[in-house]
Amino acid sequence: MRLRALLETDALGLRLLGGEDELDRTVRGVMTTDLRDPSRYLSGGELVLTGLAWHRGAADSEPFVRILAGAGVAGLAAGEAELGDIPADLVEACRRHRLPLFAVHETVAFATITEHVVRQVSGERAGDLAAVVDRHRRLMTSGPAGGGPEVVLDLLTSDLDLRAWVLSPTGRQIAGAGAPLPGPLGAALAGQHLAATRTGRRAPHRAAVAGTTYSLFPIRNTGRGTVAARDVRESVLSDWLLAVEADASDWPAARLDLLQGVTQLIAVERDRREAARTVRRRLAQEVLELVQAGAAPAEIAARLRVAAPVLLPGVGVAPQWQVVVARVEWSTTDRAAATGEITGGPAAQALLEEILVDPAVSGPDSADRIAVAHTGEEAIALVPLPAPTEPPADSGEDAEGAPVDGEDADALHEEPGLHAEALLASVREPLSAGLADDGRLTLGVSAAVHSAEGLRGALEEARHARRVAAARPGRVCAAGHHELASHVLLLPFVPDDVRRAFTARLLDPLRDYDRRHRAELVETLEAFLDCDGSWTRCAARLHLHVNTLRYRVGRIEQLTGRDLARLEDKLDFFLALRMS
């Protein structure tokens, strides 16, 4: 029952003194006390009745109310028989802690209130149990037959007043009833779900985001056509979840069973979508095998002509293709990972299909442009790119012929296709939670190619980029083809001992000097190189006089024996800073 219902019952003689905004709290029981600290007898949701015998002075109210609020009680009802009017300090303490406060008229016995609440709560529990069983039957018989998970979620909203969303492991909304879940909120919930799953906590998982409590239920693969996961790490990064805007920690078993039934229904829908991806996966596998076997370009082109109408309906032929390579690796300190019992390929395949979803594409399956295969521990995506619509780079016009300039022109002429860091920007946080401290996801992206002849080079380019990403710190890393044409490609493969010796020889004298004199020589060196050796720009950036900058640069040259006017020495310092 709700607190509001108590005020609507005249026989209880209750008068509200504060907490009008909290009257929708649920009352699950009654507890009468005059103890200063009744916390050991509270479990949350009670209406606490007190005769105020504990109240000796104004200082007593704050700790008493703080204990009640911390225990999660629904409200406090204070009798007027002992002190007459309810003390103002108690009213103020309840206001501070947002605890609803009622005054009980001296003619009303606490036993009357207790009997009324117990009778109402018991009746509601019995009715709720019967209703839950009936709803469970209706959900199981209606199911998402062609209507998708939204059918089930709509029933949850209409029958149980529960707002719920189906989310991917990255927090992308797959289905929902009512208003869409904001992207950052979905990512936060997915991250908390993945972290809880990795710790082995029993579901549902309780999550609090921005002051709202959610319960997170895993939607696991039903096992139809798949091999059951031997380790949680094989499935944690691919399972969907059901996020319910409610705290399920005190739900009765029957209601929890109902939600488990809902997850099973949605799992069937997930299996249906997985089956729909089979064709795309097979196409990717066939093209990949031809490319890796060195097949003739004409043969590869023929397979691409078959794939293009499936991945880009209505286009017929994809003018451009990109290759994305991903790998999920687990720490070899674990016995299962060391013996190869944990397979990373299927997990990387499912993750890559999720990461490559285009948010601008709507429809029942927004991943229908993506064909991902996996070979060993590696997943490889073949992504078709529609024909670019922007004008040539030197036209200075937009798609409708209007002139553009400045940043707008730069945006129009940006290279089309996928960009490594952009792919991971919104999913890095939840995936890092799922990888915990023993897993890594690395990803490489090729440049766009225009023919079958270029696919083999694109595949190798994406693999090289992934190795560059793997050499970086962090749980989730990516690299693109742009980085393969710069020093970034070389630095990760310098042996650690060579790296340490090189940076120590150039930077240690400056670091030692900075520690002793607080001279900021390393910071000055970095800014000087970043400003391409321009004295005026560097001085302005560091808020220094040019003469002070010249003194610092001279000190750097003196300590290292190098000349910052020479290109070779500038390059050595630049590389040392990048490797440090």
Side-chain angles (χ1 to χ4, degrees):
M1 67 175 299
R2 307 284 183 179
L3 280 175
R4 190 180 306 278
L6 297 173
L7 289 175
E8 297 169 356
T9 306
D10 295 336
L12 299 182
L14 295 179
R15 182 165 48 91
L16 184 64
L17 300 181
E20 294 86 350
D21 297 335
E22 305 292 332
L23 291 180
D24 285 326
R25 292 187 182 187
T26 301
V27 180
R28 299 184 178 89
V30 183
M31 200 270 279
T32 302
T33 185
D34 274 315
L35 295 173
R36 289 174 176 270
D37 181 4
S39 58
R40 71 183 70 180
Y41 305 110
L42 297 172
S43 58
E46 297 93 347
L47 173 66
V48 174
L49 306 176
T50 180
L52 297 176
W54 52 267
H55 188 275
R56 308 290 175 80
D60 294 335
S61 293
E62 171 64 25
F64 181 79
V65 174
R66 184 171 62 247
I67 289 169
L68 299 187
V73 305
L76 173 64
E80 295 177 327
E82 181 77 16
L83 300 179
D85 291 337
I86 306 302
D89 49 271
L90 179 59
V91 176
E92 175 60 22
C94 289
R95 185 196 63 78
R96 268 197 307 274
H97 291 278
R98 301 181 64 85
L99 182 66
L101 175 63
F102 302 89
V104 182
H105 194 272
E106 60 182 3
T107 60
V108 178
F110 283 175
T112 302
I113 299 174
T114 301
E115 181 182 355
H116 175 83
V117 172
V118 169
R119 186 168 57 248
Q120 292 295 320
V121 170
S122 298
E124 288 181 2
R125 283 177 179 166
D128 188 55
L129 177 59
V132 163
V133 172
D134 179 61
R135 287 165 185 142
H136 192 249
R137 178 188 56 78
R138 291 171 54 200
L139 285 169
M140 295 302 291
T141 53
S142 63
E150 286 82 0
V151 172
V152 181
L153 301 184
D154 285 340
L155 278 174
L156 283 180
T157 302
S158 61
D159 280 19
L160 294 181
D161 195 25
L162 292 175
R163 298 177 66 208
W165 302 265
V166 178
L167 304 178
S168 77
T170 64
R172 177 177 62 90
Q173 180 173 320
I174 295 166
L181 202 64
L185 176 55
L189 291 174
Q192 293 197 40
H193 171 74
L194 291 172
T197 302
R198 286 304 313 276
T199 61
R201 283 163 45 197
R202 185 177 179 182
H205 308 305
R206 185 179 183 275
V209 179
T212 303
T213 300
Y214 300 84
S215 296
L216 310 176
F217 297 80
I219 302 172
R220 297 194 171 93
N221 197 301
T222 62
R224 299 178 184 179
T226 61
V227 178
R230 295 161 295 183
D231 187 291
V232 67
R233 287 170 289 186
E234 289 186 335
S235 61
V236 66
L237 297 176
S238 57
D239 283 342
W240 290 359
L241 67 132
L242 176 67
V244 181
E245 189 179 315
D247 186 353
S249 58
D250 57 354
W251 280 4
R255 180 167 287 204
L256 288 173
D257 287 344
L258 171 66
L259 267 293
Q260 294 298 341
V262 169
T263 64
Q264 292 168 14
L265 288 173
I266 297 173
V268 173
E269 171 68 10
R270 181 192 169 190
D271 288 344
R272 186 189 66 79
R273 297 194 185 190
E274 284 290 305
R277 289 183 174 180
T278 303
V279 173
R280 299 195 297 274
R281 288 174 173 177
R282 186 169 62 246
L283 287 171
Q285 195 73 42
E286 291 173 355
V287 174
L288 174 63
E289 289 172 358
L290 290 174
V291 170
Q292 294 191 126
E299 188 177 358
I300 299 174
R303 295 310 302 162
L304 290 178
R305 282 194 294 273
V306 174
V310 175
L311 302 178
L312 285 175
V315 176
V317 177
Q320 299 181 90
W321 299 85
Q322 267 183 293
V323 176
V324 183
V325 174
R327 191 179 182 98
V328 174
E329 298 171 292
W330 302 103
S331 172
T332 54
T333 56
D334 179 89
R335 187 195 66 81
T339 56
E341 293 178 11
I342 300 178
T343 56
Q349 181 183 44
L351 263 186
L352 200 47
E353 288 171 334
E354 170 63 27
I355 291 169
L356 292 175
V357 167
D358 184 354
V361 176
S362 59
D365 188 353
S366 54
D368 59 3
R369 294 177 54 248
I370 302 157
V372 184
H374 77 83
T375 171
E377 298 299 302
E378 196 174 57
I380 301 169
L382 188 65
V383 183
L385 301 177
T389 57
E390 63 265 23
D394 57 354
S395 70
E397 297 178 350
D398 64 13
E400 298 179 355
V404 294
D405 53 22
E407 293 183 4
D408 293 334
D410 293 339
L412 278 176
H413 304 149
E414 223 176 61
E415 183 177 349
L418 306 172
H419 298 273
E421 277 303 318
L423 289 176
L424 297 182
S426 62
V427 302
R428 180 175 274 110
E429 183 178 348
L431 292 184
S432 296
L435 292 163
D437 57 357
D438 60 350
R440 290 200 76 202
L441 167 67
T442 51
L443 184 145
V445 181
S446 79
V449 295
H450 304 269
S451 65
E453 290 90 339
L455 274 183
R456 185 173 182 83
L459 175 59
E460 291 306 313
E461 189 173 57
R463 281 174 167 162
H464 279 301
R466 193 206 64 78
R467 285 193 283 270
V468 170
R472 294 172 173 165
R475 290 289 162 197
V476 181
C477 298
H481 61 93
H482 300 93
E483 302 179 61
L484 304 185
S486 74
H487 66 280
V488 175
L489 174 63
L490 302 175
L491 294 186
F493 304 103
V494 176
D496 288 343
D497 54 347
V498 176
R499 182 195 302 258
R500 284 191 293 268
F502 182 75
T503 57
R505 189 178 304 116
L506 281 172
L507 300 182
D508 278 3
L510 307 183
R511 290 167 176 157
D512 292 341
Y513 191 87
D514 283 346
R515 276 194 295 270
R516 293 196 308 269
H517 303 284
R518 297 182 181 178
E520 299 180 350
L521 295 185
V522 173
E523 179 186 351
T524 301
L525 173 63
E526 195 163 11
F528 186 72
L529 295 176
D530 196 39
C531 292
D532 300 322
S534 168
W535 296 98
T536 53
R537 281 195 291 128
C538 183
R541 174 181 292 191
L542 296 175
H543 305 291
L544 297 174
H545 192 278
V546 173
N547 289 342
T548 304
L549 176 61
R550 291 185 184 277
Y551 171 80
R552 288 189 182 180
V553 170
R555 179 63 68 184
I556 291 170
E557 294 174 333
Q558 179 186 12
L559 291 170
T560 60
R562 300 298 186 105
D563 182 359
L564 278 168
R566 297 178 68 247
L567 177 61
E568 292 87 349
D569 288 344
K570 285 181 181 177
L571 179 59
D572 284 347
F573 277 123
F574 175 81
L575 293 174
L577 289 168
R578 285 293 184 274
M579 288 192 292
S580 63

